Amino acid sequence: MSAFRKVAGNVRSASPFKKKFLSAENKAEFPHVTAEDDARVEISQDGERDEFEEGRDLYDPDAGESRTLNTLTRSLSLESGTETEDDGSLLSGYRTIEDSVRDEESLASFDAPKETMPPPEGKVFTKSVVLSSLNDGGNGGDSLVLRAQHRRIMPEKENHAFINVRASSVSPFDVVKCRGVGVTKDMLPYTPGQVVVGTIEALGSEVKLPFQIGDRVVGFVGHGGNARFVSAEADNLIKASPNIKNSQAACLVEDWMSAYRALRIAKNAFKGAALFGMNVFITDGFSAIGQAAIHLADLEGANIYCCARRANHTYIQSLSSRMHVYEPRVEAWMPDIMEKMDIVIDNTCVDGYASSWQALNDNGILVCLATVNMGYSARGCGVLDIDDMLRKFSQMKAKYTMSQTVFLDIRQDLKQNRTEFTRDLMYLMFLVEQGKIHPKVGEKVALDDVGDAQKLLANGKNNGTIVCLPWKKS
C-alpha cells in the first residue's frame, strides 16, 4: 500500500452531488475540457457543474497508466531513508474527495456563483488546490485535494480584478495555513497561494487604479493563488514588466522584496549610506529570503554573516567572497559577532529576537521580518502566525527598550507604502532585465504537486523559491 493517497471518485451517499460521466454528448456543454483533462463531471442540485479528476481511473497502473511519483516526494523519501511505494499517482500527498465533502454546506456555498455584478458571457474551466479538512494531524499538504470546476469570468467583488494566473507562490505561510494556523472550518475549502503573476481578464466597477483588461500584474492575493484563475483586490496588484519570466516575477514579490525592503530600511537608518564595509547578519541564509538578502548585500560590498545547516555551508559560502557561515545554534555564532553587526535581518524569530538584538553594535539596526518558522528548528519559535510574531516583537522591544528596531510585514508594506513599494519592485524587475540579479527558482511545480512542495518546504529542503505553474502539465 502506498504511503500516499489518491483522489478517489467515490463521494459519500449523503453528498448533494450526482455522478455523471463526461460523455461525448456532454462535452459540448464543457468546451474548455480537453481530452487531456479527462475529468468527470459532478452536477449539484443547484445546477452548477464541478469537475474532479479521479485518481483511480486516471492514474491506477492497473488501468493501463504507468506513471511515477513526482521528484519532490521521491527526494524526501530517499533522504529520509524510507522509499515510498510507487503507486503511479501524480496526486501523491492528497487525500480523497470523500474526505473533502465533510462539510457539504460549506462546499455548496463555495460553489455558488458570486452575483456581485452582471456576469460576462461564458465560463472558463479552472482547477485549484483546496484544503479540504483540518483533521490531518498538522501534516501540511495531507488534506489538499485538486478541484476542478467551471467558473464565470467575473470578479468576486467590485474592487477586485479577475486574474488568469500564470505563476503563484508556494510559501512557508501556505504550509502553516494548511496546518490550520489561522484557518477555521468555515473557511473551507481553502486555497493556498499568496503571490500571483498573471493577466487581468475582468475588472470590478470600483477598481480605481489604472488597470486594463489584458494587463500583466503581480501582487498579493492573501490566498487562492494556487489556481488557474483568482479574484483579487486590485489595490494589492502592481503592473509587471513584460520582459521577465513569470517564475522570476513570482520570486520577486515576496522573497526578494522582503530582502530589498529590509536592507532599504536599514540604509535609511544610516542616512542612505552604501552597505560597503558594513557587517550584515542574516539569521537564515539558506531560505529564499536569506539568499536574496545575501545577493543584494553582496552587490554593495557588505561583509555577510549568516546561519545555515551544516550541509548547506559549502553552497552558502559560494555566494559571496565576504561570507561567514555558522550553524543555527546561538552559541555557535554569538561569540564571534556579538555587538559587532551594523544590520541584522531576523527571518527566523529565534528566541523571540533577543539574540539578534544582542548581535547589534551601538548604532546597529534590527529588521524583524514577518516570516515563518515551521518548527523544523528546535530553537525556533515554533509554528507562528504574524500576530504571534508581533506579540513577541513587542515583548522583546519593551524588554530592551530598543529604538533601532523595525518589524516588516511585506504584505502590509504594500498597503501602507504603495508608491515606494511599486518603485522598488520595478527596480528589481529592471535589475533582472539587466542580468544584475538572478532570482533562484527552487522548483516549478504543477497544481498536482503543491502538497508535495509544501512538504519539501516544511522539511527545509527547498533551495530557492518554489513556484506553482497552474497551467503546467504534470
Side-chain angles (χ1 to χ4, degrees):
M1 177 68 68
S2 169
F4 299 97
R5 302 181 184 178
K6 308 172 194 176
V7 172
N10 297 326
V11 182
R12 292 186 175 190
S13 58
S15 170
F17 299 104
K18 297 180 180 179
K19 187 160 293 186
K20 183 175 180 181
F21 286 96
L22 187 61
S23 62
E25 184 180 60
N26 293 323
K27 284 181 180 178
E29 297 179 299
F30 298 89
H32 297 285
V33 182
T34 66
E36 294 175 349
D37 288 313
D38 197 16
R40 293 190 181 188
V41 179
E42 305 289 342
I43 302 184
S44 66
Q45 291 177 344
D46 64 1
E48 288 298 309
R49 293 170 171 79
D50 298 330
E51 298 170 11
F52 294 89
E53 289 193 322
E54 303 218 13
R56 191 172 71 175
D57 294 321
L58 289 177
Y59 305 121
D60 192 342
D62 295 334
E65 285 286 330
S66 178
R67 306 188 186 184
T68 60
L69 288 169
N70 61 72
T71 56
L72 297 178
T73 303
R74 185 165 296 280
S75 66
L76 281 177
S77 61
L78 289 175
E79 291 183 22
S80 63
T82 57
E83 176 69 29
T84 58
E85 178 185 352
D86 186 352
D87 67 349
S89 172
L90 292 181
L91 298 178
S92 53
Y94 292 83
R95 298 177 73 182
T96 64
I97 285 181
E98 182 177 11
D99 292 333
S100 75
V101 195
R102 295 183 187 276
D103 186 348
E104 294 168 1
E105 292 183 358
S106 174
L107 183 61
S109 174
F110 181 85
D111 289 340
K114 308 294 189 301
E115 300 292 346
T116 56
M117 59 180 293
E121 291 185 8
K123 296 183 179 180
V124 289
F125 175 70
T126 181
K127 294 182 180 181
S128 58
V129 177
V130 298
L131 177 66
S132 61
S133 171
L134 299 178
N135 302 319
D136 67 348
N139 297 315
D142 283 348
S143 287
L144 293 177
V145 296
L146 187 64
R147 180 169 183 243
Q149 64 182 137
H150 278 104
R151 181 172 181 175
R152 289 186 176 92
I153 307 174
M154 58 180 293
E156 292 181 359
K157 296 182 180 180
E158 298 293 351
N159 63 341
H160 278 209
F162 188 75
I163 303 170
N164 182 333
V165 181
R166 311 311 298 183
S168 58
S169 63
V170 181
S171 72
F173 278 104
D174 295 323
V175 178
V176 170
K177 291 293 186 182
C178 289
R179 289 179 175 183
V181 178
V183 177
T184 58
K185 190 174 181 179
D186 61 351
M187 295 171 64
L188 300 179
Y190 174 92
T191 297
Q194 297 198 86
V195 172
V196 298
V197 181
T199 54
I200 294 177
E201 298 281 339
L203 288 167
S205 61
E206 296 180 4
V207 174
K208 298 178 180 179
L209 295 171
F211 290 130
Q212 296 180 353
I213 293 175
D215 282 350
R216 188 185 190 214
V217 293
V218 298
F220 292 105
V221 296
H223 64 88
N226 294 156
R228 290 183 174 177
F229 295 90
V230 68
S231 180
E233 187 177 345
D235 286 348
N236 293 331
L237 304 174
I238 295 172
K239 288 185 180 180
S241 166
N243 302 319
I244 67 173
K245 297 179 180 178
N246 292 319
S247 57
Q248 292 175 322
C251 294
L252 294 180
V253 178
E254 184 170 15
D255 295 332
W256 279 77
M257 276 299 290
S258 292
Y260 185 81
R261 294 289 290 169
L263 290 172
R264 183 180 179 85
I265 289 170
K267 290 176 64 175
N268 288 343
F270 290 100
K271 299 182 179 180
L275 300 179
F276 185 84
M278 288 190 181
N279 295 327
V280 177
F281 176 52
I282 304 159
T283 58
D284 183 0
F286 188 69
S287 66
I289 292 176
Q291 292 192 43
I294 288 171
H295 284 293
L296 292 170
D298 185 60
L299 284 176
E300 293 201 27
N303 301 314
I304 305 168
Y305 301 76
C306 72
C307 297
R309 291 174 173 175
R310 180 174 291 276
N312 300 322
H313 281 200
T314 301
Y315 168 75
I316 295 295
Q317 197 72 52
S318 70
L319 299 180
S320 173
S321 59
R322 298 174 299 279
M323 175 66 67
H324 308 268
V325 190
Y326 302 91
E327 291 189 38
R329 296 176 293 108
V330 174
E331 56 268 25
W333 51 264
M334 184 61 78
D336 285 353
I337 70 172
M338 186 174 181
E339 300 181 353
K340 296 179 181 178
M341 297 295 106
D342 298 293
I343 299 169
V344 174
I345 298 176
D346 191 323
N347 56 336
T348 55
C349 182
V350 172
D351 61 22
Y353 307 114
S355 58
S356 294
W357 181 80
Q358 293 171 19
L360 291 174
N361 61 29
D362 291 341
N363 299 314
I365 181 169
L366 168 62
V367 182
C368 302
L369 299 183
T371 53
V372 173
N373 184 326
M374 290 169 291
Y376 58 77
S377 172
R379 299 188 64 88
C381 296
V383 178
L384 299 172
D385 60 17
I386 294 176
D387 289 338
D388 290 326
M389 292 181 183
L390 280 169
R391 281 191 292 270
K392 288 184 177 290
F393 177 78
S394 297
Q395 291 167 2
M396 178 272 299
K397 192 168 183 177
K399 179 179 178 180
Y400 294 102
T401 60
M402 301 168 58
S403 58
Q404 294 295 89
T405 57
V406 178
F407 187 92
L408 174 63
D409 178 358
I410 198 67
R411 298 153 198 80
Q412 291 301 315
D413 191 33
L414 170 57
K415 288 181 175 293
Q416 297 169 3
N417 305 291
R418 179 180 175 84
T419 300
E420 191 174 303
F421 187 101
T422 300
R423 182 178 63 245
D424 288 347
L425 179 58
M426 295 303 294
Y427 177 64
L428 288 180
M429 291 181 184
F430 171 76
L431 292 181
V432 172
E433 293 178 15
Q434 298 297 310
K436 302 293 186 182
I437 60 174
H438 305 278
K440 185 173 180 59
V441 179
E443 297 284 350
K444 297 177 183 178
V445 301
L447 290 172
D448 305 41
D449 302 323
V450 168
D452 292 321
Q454 287 194 11
K455 293 177 182 179
L456 195 76
L457 271 170
N459 284 274
K461 302 294 185 181
N462 61 301
N463 186 356
T465 303
I466 297 181
V467 177
C468 172
L469 303 178
W471 298 90
K472 181 179 185 293
K473 294 181 180 179
S474 300

